[in-house]
Structures are given as structure tokens and as C-alpha cells.
Amino acid sequence: MYAVIRVRGRTGIKRKLADNLNYLNLTRISHCVIIPENDSYKGMLQKGKDYITWGEISEETLKVLVSQRGRLPGNKRVTDEYVQENTDYANVDELATALFNGETTLKDSGLKPIFRLNPPRKGYENTKKSFNEGGSLGYRSENINELLLKMI
């Protein structure tokens, strides 16, 4: 399961690339989405690599992300009471574990598919270079968890 974060804005972006980012629900800077690892999504990530960063999210980071930044329609926070009443899970941690294991999706749970994050503490490294070159863009494997924790 990948966590994908939009790093750069929309100024000067080509139409096809803007559409690609819209299909990923990444319409603004510092928005994050959780997507499954499959070939069609990998192609979309490669197309948007100059505007986004992504990597494999850990279960602990996903729990923190859902509990602190997960939102319901109407911009309400996700609570254990809501999860208990409207899903098959007892609390937010169990829901996050089910999301991580692929047993359910955010849409099935009634949550918004986007996590709105703060900019990272101490800022992005460089928004025009790839992660391998010391920047913030592109694939960053397990290091996405550190970035997410800086942004929550």
C-alpha cells in the first residue's frame, strides 16, 4: 500500500498531467492519498513523479494518519464511536489495520479519501529534485513514513 503526497503546485502544469493528479485525488499541495500497489497506479505515479512523492506506508503510520487526519463528510473527525456504529470494527486502530491489510477501503468506511496535512516541519528539501538527488520528489520507499510523521 502506497502513501502519495503532492509536493508541488499547479502552476505551469500540462493538462494531461493535471488530469492524472486529479484522478489520484491530489488536487492541492500537502494532500495525501492511500492507494493499493498495482500496475495501473504505478503508471500514474511514474507520470506524476515531478509533482508527487510516494512510498510504502507502515501500519503504525497509517494508524496515526487515520486517527489524527482522517475526516468524515462535513469535515468531522473520525471517532471510535463513529467507527463502532458504522463499520464492522471496534475502534479506529482496528479500522486502520483492516485498511492496511486490504480488507476494506476508505470509501467503504465512510471516510474521505484525502488526508489534508500540514507542510513538513523544517520544510521540503528541494521541490525540483528527486529524492535520490537530495530533493523531495519521486519514490522514497520506507522514508515516506518519516515525512508523514513530520506533516501530521
Side-chain angles (χ1 to χ4, degrees):
M1 180 162 282
Y2 288 133
V4 185
I5 302 170
R6 181 147 182 185
V7 177
R8 294 179 67 189
R10 58 181 180 230
T11 305
I13 191 170
K14 297 201 177 196
R15 183 73 179 167
K16 280 188 168 184
L17 187 53
D19 290 343
N20 182 40
L21 294 175
N22 285 338
Y23 295 144
L24 287 169
N25 287 327
L26 294 171
T27 56
R28 296 178 180 217
I29 296 174
S30 298
H31 275 192
C32 175
V33 294
I34 306 298
I35 60 171
E37 291 183 41
N38 62 33
D39 291 338
S40 62
Y41 276 119
K42 285 180 184 177
M44 293 173 83
L45 294 175
Q46 281 302 315
K47 247 188 177 177
K49 71 183 179 331
D50 294 331
Y51 289 86
I52 59 177
T53 186
W54 74 94
E56 292 89 6
I57 189 168
S58 69
E59 188 172 355
E60 295 79 26
T61 307
L62 184 60
K63 285 180 182 179
V64 173
L65 187 66
V66 171
S67 64
Q68 292 188 11
R69 290 293 177 170
R71 293 289 185 262
L72 302 169
N75 201 28
K76 297 176 183 164
R77 289 182 176 262
V78 178
T79 60
D80 288 338
E81 293 79 28
Y82 173 84
V83 171
Q84 203 168 21
E85 291 172 10
N86 297 308
T87 64
D88 299 335
Y89 306 102
N91 56 32
V92 177
D93 285 345
E94 285 184 18
L95 176 63
T97 303
L99 286 169
F100 184 77
N101 294 330
E103 298 167 10
T104 187
T105 63
L106 290 169
K107 187 176 181 181
D108 294 341
S109 309
L111 276 69
K112 287 186 175 182
I114 299 171
F115 298 98
R116 296 181 304 174
L117 304 174
N118 296 318
R121 287 185 202 101
K122 307 226 176 168
Y124 292 107
E125 298 297 322
N126 183 342
T127 58
K128 295 188 178 183
K129 289 184 178 180
S130 72
F131 182 71
N132 295 335
E133 297 171 342
S136 296
L137 300 171
Y139 178 68
R140 55 171 67 213
S141 69
E142 299 293 326
N143 297 321
I144 195 76
N145 296 309
E146 296 169 19
L147 179 63
L148 281 169
L149 293 175
K150 286 182 184 178
M151 297 177 80
I152 291 177

